């Protein structure tokens, strides 16, 4: 236990950071088991049907109660097993579990951000203030931004996410994508808006037509939350 | 290269295109295990899109059309593919071969009589039993995170093996972790099962065994043993 491999240390401290900022940004954490904090499925800030007709109640319920819940459950299993392995100095097993921790932990991180990035269509209001300034600085207009974001997100091969993130080094916003459940923390950007483009996020409503989902989703984007995340990210 | 070929040949190449193969059965043939709507969308939208994208990419490099679909897949990750279209060919050349192969290894539940003796023997020697092979295959299919495929294939050492690949990669491609000649495949992209099974991928995987075209799988094995790649 005295010799902490660099990779494991980085993982543990970044997970701790996630947990810290998590409580500020709405991540749910559960109880402490064997010195690790387990994940907990957060409640949605709205009813399953609240995003209709853009995203159906059926999708929201499956997405939250089944998909996100499974990431939480499987992350907790993997994290617990990893802690047990660590207690036995079984580095080989810890490394073997890193895939499951990344998949499922990433799934929990990403979906926790996503739910807060959405709001009912009746509550929609466009971006203002600092957020709007930064969007316009890079893309000239909100329309240009959404077109660029959609082109990027539509182009994700297989499963993944479209992101708007803050580049702290430049102070500017950037569009990015990640594969599978890789969180944006695998890049230098801090996520402020994520759009799930796994097929489970839209298939029941939009079938194969991911571009239609991407066109429609802007009606339910919670720009106030995106602005809050931007403010937090700049600290 | 262009000087060596008369313009009429070049026009011929430019006009060549991959086309969507017809399903070997009605869209409802795999019910209730795989539903008609999924088969319709999967075939006429998803598979068609891979073909359209592949054709568009190859229009920029028409000479590559002469390679054929299998060679294109065998070129993924090598210098044979120009950097410009390497990713598009990987995703869409992979997607076209994978789906063409997939439709053929399925059939109506009543239309199959199980594995040939040859296949059965190789399954037994490679896995112990058909059931053990199914368990391993199911495990590979269930644990492929995100989009991808599960494969049963003939390995270089003459035994059968199981692997899974991400996205539209397949074991014909040099980028694959494990090389083998596929004889059976299962699409585990969510579009392959979500309308009927939603998040319940393991249920879909179990149901799949009801629609396996064992005669085609046995034919695929014969072809693979002869050093070929199953025709699609």
């Amino acid at each position: 236990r005295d010799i902490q491999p660099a990779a494991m240390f980085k993982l543990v401290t970044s997970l701790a950071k996630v947990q810290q900022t998590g409580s500020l940004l709405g991540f749910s954490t559960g109880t402490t088991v064997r010195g690790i904090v387990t994940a907990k499925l957060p409640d949605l800030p709205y009813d399953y049907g609240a995003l209709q007709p853009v995203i159906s109640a059926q999708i929201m319920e499956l997405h939250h109660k089944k998909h996100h819940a499974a990431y939480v459950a499987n992350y907790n299993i993997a994290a617990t097993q990893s802690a047990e392995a660590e207690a036995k100095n079984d580095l080989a097993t810890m490394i073997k579990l890193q895939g499951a921790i990344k998949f499922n932990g990433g799934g929990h991180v990403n979906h926790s951000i996503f739910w807060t990035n959405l709001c009912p269509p009746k509550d929609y209001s466009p971006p203002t203030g600092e957020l709007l300034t930064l969007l316009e600085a890079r893309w000239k207009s909100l329309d240009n931004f959404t077109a660029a974001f959609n082109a990027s997100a539509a182009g994700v091969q297989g499963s993944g996410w479209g992101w708007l993130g803050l580049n702290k080094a430049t102070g500017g916003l950037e569009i990015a994508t990640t594969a599978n459940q890789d969180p944006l923390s695998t890049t230098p950007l801090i996520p402020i808006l994520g759009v799930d483009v796994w097929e489970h996020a839209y298939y029941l409503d939009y079938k194969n037509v991911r571009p239609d989902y991407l066109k429609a989703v802007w009606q339910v984007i919670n720009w106030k939350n995106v602005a809050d995340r931007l403010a937090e990210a700049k600290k | 290269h262009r000087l060596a070929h008369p313009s009429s040949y070049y026009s011929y190449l430019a006009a060549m295109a991959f086309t969507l193969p017809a399903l070997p059965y009605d869209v409802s043939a795999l019910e209730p295990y795989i539903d008609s709507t999924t088969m319709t969308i999967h075939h006429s939208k998803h598979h068609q899109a891979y073909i359209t994208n592949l054709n568009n990419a190859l229009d920029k490099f028409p000479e590559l059309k002469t390679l054929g679909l299998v060679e294109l897949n065998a070129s993924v990750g090598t210098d044979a593919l120009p950097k410009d279209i390497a990713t598009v060919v990987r995703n869409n050349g992979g997607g076209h071969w994978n789906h063409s192969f997939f439709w053929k290894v399925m059939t109506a539940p009543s239309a199959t009589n199980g594995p040939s003796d040859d296949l059965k023997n190789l399954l037994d020697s490679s896995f112990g039993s058909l059931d053990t092979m199914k368990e391993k295959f199911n495990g590979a299919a269930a644990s492929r995170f995100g989009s991808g495929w599960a494969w049963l294939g003939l390995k270089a050492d003459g035994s059968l093996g199981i692997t899974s690949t991400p996205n539209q990669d397949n074991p014909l491609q040099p980028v694959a972790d494990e090389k083998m000649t596929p004889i059976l495949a299962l699409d585990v992209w969510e579009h392959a099962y979500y309308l009927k099974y939603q998040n319940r991928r393991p249920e879909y995987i179990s149901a799949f065994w009801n629609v396996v075209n064992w005669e085609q799988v046995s034919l695929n094995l014969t072809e693979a043993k002869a050093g070929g790649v199953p025709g699609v």
Side-chain angles (χ1 to χ4, degrees), chain A residues 67 157-159 199-200 203, chain B residues 41 46 91 147 189-191 194:
Chain A
H67 291 277
Q157 289 298 315
S159 308
E199 287 171 329
H200 66 238
Y203 209 81
Chain B
I41 299 176
H46 290 276
N91 293 329
S147 310
W189 281 61
E190 287 174 328
H191 65 239
Y194 210 83

Side-chain angles (χ1 to χ4, degrees), chain B:
Chain B
H1 187 94
R2 288 174 194 224
L3 288 173
H5 292 264
S7 62
S8 57
Y9 176 57
Y10 213 69
S11 314
Y12 166 71
L13 283 184
M16 266 177 76
F18 290 106
T19 57
L20 181 67
L23 289 177
Y25 34 71
D26 189 71
V27 289
S28 61
L30 311 184
E31 292 263 12
Y33 306 104
I34 302 182
D35 59 293
S36 310
T37 310
T38 295
M39 288 307 291
T40 302
I41 299 176
H42 204 174
H43 177 246
S44 69
K45 306 286 182 188
H46 290 276
H47 187 176
Q48 177 62 65
Y50 292 122
I51 293 167
T52 304
N53 294 341
L54 181 63
N55 285 335
N56 288 342
L58 294 181
D59 277 345
K60 299 185 213 119
F61 300 91
E63 322 84 76
L64 292 176
K65 293 186 197 179
T66 60
L67 287 181
L69 191 53
V70 171
E71 240 346 273
L72 277 173
N73 275 276
S75 305
V76 169
T78 74
D79 287 335
L81 294 179
K83 271 205 190 78
D84 269 7
I85 60 164
T87 302
V88 174
V89 171
R90 178 176 183 166
N91 293 329
N92 296 283
H96 179 27
W97 191 86
N98 297 344
H99 288 83
S100 302
F101 180 79
F102 186 45
W103 309 135
K104 293 181 72 175
V105 296
M106 293 190 292
T107 190
S110 53
T112 183
N113 291 316
S116 66
D117 286 338
D118 216 26
L119 175 55
K120 247 189 267 171
N121 290 338
L122 196 52
L123 284 169
D124 287 348
S125 63
S126 305
F127 300 101
S129 68
L130 172 63
D131 281 344
T132 310
M133 181 279 285
K134 285 183 181 179
E135 270 172 41
K136 289 202 142 86
F137 188 96
N138 293 350
S143 63
R144 167 47 60 180
F145 193 77
S147 310
W149 290 76
W151 306 93
L152 172 68
L154 185 68
K155 298 193 291 187
D157 68 4
S159 69
L160 290 174
I162 285 164
T163 192
S164 75
T165 52
N167 297 338
Q168 293 300 345
D169 289 0
N170 60 52
L172 299 174
Q173 300 173 346
V175 292
D177 282 343
E178 268 200 76
K179 312 283 179 299
M180 53 179 67
T181 303
I183 68 170
L184 176 67
L186 178 61
D187 190 348
V188 292
W189 281 61
E190 287 174 328
H191 65 239
Y193 60 89
Y194 210 83
L195 294 179
K196 182 179 171 70
Y197 296 96
Q198 290 87 56
N199 60 300
R200 304 183 310 279
R201 191 195 285 186
E203 219 179 287
Y204 159 69
I205 297 168
S206 299
F208 169 67
W209 295 107
N210 291 289
V211 296
V212 169
N213 182 344
W214 288 108
E215 284 71 17
Q216 183 63 47
V217 178
S218 305
L219 275 173
N220 290 343
L221 176 62
T222 306
E223 177 104 43
K225 274 171 143 183
V229 173
V232 297

Side-chain angles (χ1 to χ4, degrees), chain A residues 8-155:
Chain A
M8 192 58 196
F9 185 74
K10 198 163 176 215
L11 174 65
V12 166
T13 50
S14 58
L15 278 176
K17 232 187 275 168
V18 162
Q19 187 222 325
Q20 243 183 330
T21 52
S23 49
L24 294 168
L25 298 169
F27 287 69
S28 288
T29 53
T31 53
T32 305
V33 174
R34 282 188 182 78
I36 60 146
V37 180
T38 54
K40 189 172 91 102
L41 182 68
D43 289 331
L44 294 187
Y46 35 72
D47 286 341
Y48 287 132
L51 307 186
Q52 295 189 127
V54 178
I55 305 177
S56 63
Q58 188 190 15
I59 284 189
M60 290 306 290
E61 183 164 3
L62 281 165
H63 206 171
H64 178 249
K65 255 197 201 151
K66 303 288 181 183
H67 291 277
H68 188 174
Y71 293 130
V72 169
N74 290 329
Y75 166 75
N76 287 340
I77 292 169
T80 306
Q81 287 174 343
S82 186
E84 285 167 356
E86 190 192 351
K88 295 188 221 142
N89 275 325
D90 182 358
L91 181 55
T93 299
M94 286 166 68
I95 290 170
K96 187 170 146 183
L97 289 164
Q98 284 184 359
I101 288 173
K102 184 178 187 181
F103 297 157
N104 295 290
H108 177 46
V109 165
N110 295 340
H111 287 84
S112 299
I113 297 172
F114 187 46
W115 307 136
T116 68
N117 282 161
L118 303 171
C119 67
K122 64 173 169 60
D123 295 336
Y124 176 85
S125 62
T128 60
E130 165 100 64
L131 175 56
L132 182 61
T133 304
L134 284 176
L135 285 170
E136 287 178 337
R138 182 73 193 251
W139 291 283
K140 305 286 190 296
S141 71
L142 181 60
D143 279 350
N144 282 357
F145 161 69
T146 59
F149 186 101
N150 286 354
S152 197

